[in-house]
Amino acid sequence: MPERVPDAEQMTALLGEALYGIWSQLCALIDEHYDMERLWGSGGKEWTYEYKYRRGGKTLCALYARENCVGFMVILGKDERRRFENERSAYSAEIWRIYEETRTYHDGKWLMFEPTDTSLFGDFLRLLTIKRKPNRK
């Protein structure tokens, strides 16, 4: 857990104005479709902050922040990977590239994206829907 939850000014200083805009829009998109617990944490060795969306002890996704970089992580378990692979045509080539380059662990594929614009947001939402149906309209 970070010592203090960062405010908008601190996040803008860390990410830069453009990427803070991407971060904010991605959070708004998730919040629009999902009613979840939101937990701040330290980002470990590679990231300054982690911001997890969880419900019922299960993580939907996590956003990460470090200097001039936003990360968006979704972990797909075995059944979720099968669903993703069956819906191949619904996803962009960039999503597939990351998927194919990501190592498979015993608990699934930990897909990490580093968005610099909103072009993959539709794909991100589809990935989240594989994990959990949206619970907000």
Side-chain angles (χ1 to χ4, degrees):
M1 178 94 187
E3 290 175 27
R4 282 190 297 285
V5 171
D7 61 22
E9 194 176 309
Q10 291 166 309
M11 289 297 286
T12 302
L14 179 68
L15 296 170
E17 212 165 300
L19 283 178
Y20 180 62
I22 299 302
W23 171 283
S24 298
Q25 289 175 69
L26 186 50
C27 289
L29 180 71
I30 297 166
D31 290 340
E32 185 183 321
H33 292 86
Y34 292 92
D35 180 21
M36 308 290 281
E37 276 180 82
R38 295 178 219 62
L39 306 167
W40 282 96
S42 71
K45 288 181 197 155
E46 291 191 33
W47 299 91
T48 307
Y49 297 111
E50 174 187 67
Y51 188 60
K52 266 189 194 169
Y53 283 85
R54 289 177 64 95
R55 186 169 189 142
K58 288 190 166 194
T59 299
L60 175 70
C61 64
L63 277 71
Y64 293 87
R66 68 175 175 234
E67 193 171 343
N68 300 315
C69 190
V70 170
F72 174 71
M73 180 182 280
V74 178
I75 300 170
L76 297 181
K78 188 176 180 181
D79 293 339
E80 294 160 343
R81 287 199 330 269
R82 192 174 304 119
R83 257 187 79 193
F84 174 78
E85 290 169 7
N86 288 338
E87 297 170 7
R88 181 176 196 113
S89 62
Y91 295 91
S92 66
E94 176 67 6
I95 297 291
W96 272 100
R97 184 184 67 75
I98 300 282
Y99 181 81
E100 289 169 352
E101 290 174 0
T102 299
R103 184 172 161 202
T104 303
Y105 294 96
H106 71 283
D107 59 349
K109 275 194 182 263
W110 296 44
L111 303 174
M112 176 62 86
F113 303 94
E114 293 182 3
T116 55
D117 58 36
T118 61
S119 63
L120 295 176
F121 281 17
D123 284 334
F124 291 170
L125 208 48
R126 276 189 287 284
L127 284 171
L128 294 180
T129 303
I130 287 176
K131 292 196 63 70
R132 179 184 208 115
K133 283 186 170 50
N135 57 5
R136 258 193 189 148
K137 291 288 175 219

